[in-house]
Amino acid sequence: MDALLFVPVRADDSGGAPAVVRTARTGAGQERVGLAFTGEERLHAALGPTQRWIRLSRPALLALLRPLGIEDVRTDPLYVGPQMPQMPELPESTALDLREAGPVLAGARRHAQWLPDEVW
C-alpha cells in the first residue's frame, strides 16, 4: 500500500464539503498539478504554518484529480507561490556596504517552482 501523504486543502465556506484539494501550476499558463508532501513540516515550510491538510495515498489523490484533467502530482515542492521578481543588475561601480543596510539573510537562492491555482 502507498504511504499516506500530506495533501494541502482549503476549507469550503459554504458548509458543504469539509475540504477541497489545492492544486498549482508549474508556471504561468502551464498545466495544473496536484501537490503532496511527505511530512507536515515540509507542507508548512512551503505553504505556511496555517495551511490545512488531509492524509491521502498518491493513488487516492490522483483519483480525485483525474476528473479535473490533472494527471501529475508533485511531491515536496520547495516553494509554492508567485514567481520571484528578477533583481536588476547593479553597475560594477556601485559599492554597497551591506553592514549598513541591516541584517542580511543568507542561504540558498529560492526560485518559485509552483504558482497557486485558484481554480478548484
Side-chain angles (χ1 to χ4, degrees):
M1 181 175 176
D2 285 297
L4 294 180
L5 298 167
F6 292 81
V7 178
V9 297
R10 69 175 178 87
D12 183 7
D13 296 330
S14 69
V20 179
V21 175
R22 289 190 63 181
T23 61
R25 294 185 185 272
T26 56
Q30 300 297 313
E31 66 181 25
R32 291 178 5 178
V33 296
L35 298 173
F37 297 84
T38 56
E40 184 179 1
E41 67 286 344
R42 290 177 183 242
L43 178 137
H44 288 159
L47 295 169
T50 60
Q51 176 62 54
R52 300 172 94 177
W53 50 265
I54 59 174
R55 302 288 306 267
L56 291 172
S57 68
R58 184 178 179 85
L61 178 56
L62 283 169
L64 288 173
L65 296 174
R66 279 194 186 106
L68 302 173
I70 300 172
E71 298 285 332
D72 190 17
V73 173
R74 302 297 166 101
T75 305
D76 290 332
L78 297 176
Y79 177 77
V80 178
Q83 293 286 352
M84 301 293 280
Q86 293 294 325
M87 297 301 292
E89 294 291 326
L90 293 175
E92 289 187 30
S93 62
T94 304
L96 295 175
D97 186 355
L98 295 178
R99 293 171 290 183
E100 292 178 13
V104 176
L105 299 176
R109 187 172 178 186
R110 303 282 307 259
H111 298 279
Q113 293 183 350
W114 316 106
L115 299 173
D117 188 1
E118 296 300 325
V119 180
W120 311 103

